[in-house]
Amino acid sequence: MLFSFSLSAQNYLNPTARWVQTFYYSGFTTNTTCRSTLYFQGDTTVNNLLYYKLFDNSVCLVTTTQFDSLGEPFQVVDTNISTLLRGYIREESRKVYLLDINGTEAMRYNFGYPDFTSVDLVAPYGTCQPANSVSITTHDTVCIGNIGRKRWRVSMSQYPLAQYIIEGVGPSSGFLAPTCRNGCPECGYNLLNFVLNGDTLCQGTCSIPLAITPENPEVEIIQTQNELTFKSDGMIELEIFSINGSLLKHQSSQHNNQMNCSFSEFPSGIYIYRGNSNGKPFQGKFVVARTD
C-alpha cells in the first residue's frame, strides 16, 4: 500500500539533522581526503534568536610526497582527527542563517525562490563566477522519510561541482560547501547522506503540493517561430527574462486586446515571461529552438 504525505509546513532542521560529506584537495606534493559529519549539539540564544550549535567531526588523511637524500620520492601519510564548532545555525522563512564564531551572521541558503533563479540568490556563497551565470533549473521531489523536499538541478558552469540543490538540505556538494569549484579547481566536495528524525535522504514516500501560479484565464498566449502574442480584454504589462534571471524585455500593450512580443533576436534556450493583465499576474516559460 502506498501512502503519500504533505508536510511542507514543517521546519527544515531540528537537533537530529546530520550531514555526512567528503572533501579532497589534490596538490602537487600534498593530497588531502576528509570525511566529515556535521551535526547539532546544544543550542544558544543570541539577540532573542535561537541557534543550533553546529559541530564538524572530521577524519582527514594527508598524503605528502617527500624526497630522500638521493632525491627519490616517498610518501608520508598522516591521519588528523578533529572536532570543532563551525558556528550557529537558525532558519526563518525558508532561509538558513549561519552565525560564525566571530559573531558575524550571513544567510547561507534561501529555499524560497522559484525554478530558474540564479544560484547566487539561493546559495550566496557558491563561488560561481561570473555572477548570475549559474542557476537552479527545474525540480523534482526527494524524500526524507515522509517529508518531501524539492531538488533543483544546477545549470552548467565553467568549474561545475554541485549537480543539484535540495530544499532544506543544501547542494549535493555538501552543507556549507560551494556550488562551483571556481575558487579551487583542485578541490572536490560531495554530500554522502543526510539524516533527519532518523530518516535518510532519498528514502521513503512523500509528495509536495504544486506551488504553481495559475495562469490568468483572461490571457490567451500564442507562440509562433519568432513571436509571442498575448490576447486580453485589458491592458498588459510584460517582462521577459533569460534562464539566468536577466531582464531582456519590458513592454506594455498598445491596444486593449492584443500585444505582440518579438524574440527573433533570442538564441536557442529557455525563457521566462511574467506580466499582469487587469491587475492579475500570469507567468510561464517558452522555448526558442534555432535550426540554423
Side-chain angles (χ1 to χ4, degrees):
M1 181 177 293
L2 180 66
F3 292 92
S4 179
F5 298 85
S6 172
L7 300 175
S8 57
Q10 184 168 339
N11 290 339
Y12 291 136
L13 303 174
N14 64 46
T16 69
R18 196 176 188 90
W19 297 259
V20 179
Q21 47 203 54
T22 59
F23 164 79
Y24 75 81
Y25 170 78
S26 179
F28 184 70
T29 60
T30 302
N31 294 324
T32 301
T33 301
C34 298
R35 181 185 176 99
S36 301
T37 300
L38 276 61
Y39 61 95
F40 296 130
Q41 184 172 310
D43 54 45
T44 187
T45 301
V46 179
N47 297 327
N48 295 319
L49 296 173
L50 178 65
Y51 292 83
Y52 295 124
K53 296 180 180 179
L54 180 68
F55 286 85
D56 182 338
N57 176 257
S58 295
V59 178
C60 296
L61 297 180
V62 181
T63 303
T64 304
T65 300
Q66 300 183 10
F67 299 88
D68 61 21
S69 59
L70 300 177
E72 295 296 325
F74 66 95
Q75 292 184 331
V76 176
V77 179
D78 292 321
T79 301
N80 298 324
I81 302 175
S82 64
T83 299
L84 56 87
L85 176 65
R86 289 285 298 271
Y88 309 90
I89 298 290
R90 71 178 179 93
E91 61 171 289
E92 178 184 346
S93 302
R94 305 178 74 178
K95 302 178 180 69
V96 174
Y97 295 87
L98 172 67
L99 178 70
D100 65 25
I101 59 176
N102 296 316
T104 301
E105 184 182 73
M107 186 188 73
R108 298 304 301 259
Y109 299 108
N110 185 346
F111 300 111
Y113 282 108
D115 297 1
F116 306 104
T117 297
S118 169
V119 164
D120 291 337
L121 297 177
V122 179
Y125 295 90
T127 71
C128 295
Q129 298 293 334
N132 300 320
S133 64
V134 182
S135 66
I136 59 173
T137 60
T138 55
H139 72 269
D140 59 4
T141 301
V142 293
C143 303
I144 311 169
N146 61 5
I147 299 174
R149 292 287 184 254
K150 294 179 181 178
R151 177 174 60 181
W152 291 279
R153 298 292 301 181
V154 176
S155 65
M156 289 298 296
S157 65
Q158 184 176 2
Y159 296 103
L161 183 57
Q163 296 181 336
Y164 48 82
I165 293 177
I166 299 176
E167 180 185 13
V169 177
S172 58
S173 49
F175 189 60
L176 303 182
T179 307
C180 303
R181 56 166 58 92
N182 289 0
C184 183
E186 303 85 5
C187 297
Y189 302 79
N190 185 42
L191 175 68
L192 298 180
N193 65 64
F194 172 75
V195 176
L196 185 71
N197 300 323
D199 295 315
T200 303
L201 178 68
C202 299
Q203 296 182 6
T205 303
C206 58
S207 66
I208 298 177
L210 294 177
I212 300 176
T213 304
E215 292 188 5
N216 188 334
E218 299 177 358
V219 179
E220 179 184 2
I221 303 169
I222 302 171
Q223 180 177 350
T224 60
Q225 183 176 0
N226 290 306
E227 191 173 69
L228 288 175
T229 298
F230 298 83
K231 295 183 178 181
S232 171
D233 291 334
M235 295 291 290
I236 299 175
E237 293 281 342
L238 179 72
E239 294 176 321
I240 303 291
F241 296 87
S242 70
I243 194 173
N244 294 325
S246 299
L247 178 63
L248 303 177
K249 279 197 172 188
H250 177 274
Q251 65 185 79
S252 303
S253 61
Q254 300 300 316
H255 305 285
N256 283 343
N257 59 352
Q258 181 171 316
M259 180 175 66
N260 298 323
C261 177
S262 172
F263 53 80
S264 59
E265 72 277 22
F266 291 3
S268 296
I270 300 174
Y271 298 86
I272 303 167
Y273 62 80
R274 185 171 64 192
N276 68 77
S277 173
N278 292 325
K280 296 181 180 180
F282 63 91
Q283 64 181 15
K285 300 188 292 289
F286 65 99
V287 177
V288 176
R290 304 293 183 198
T291 58
D292 46 76

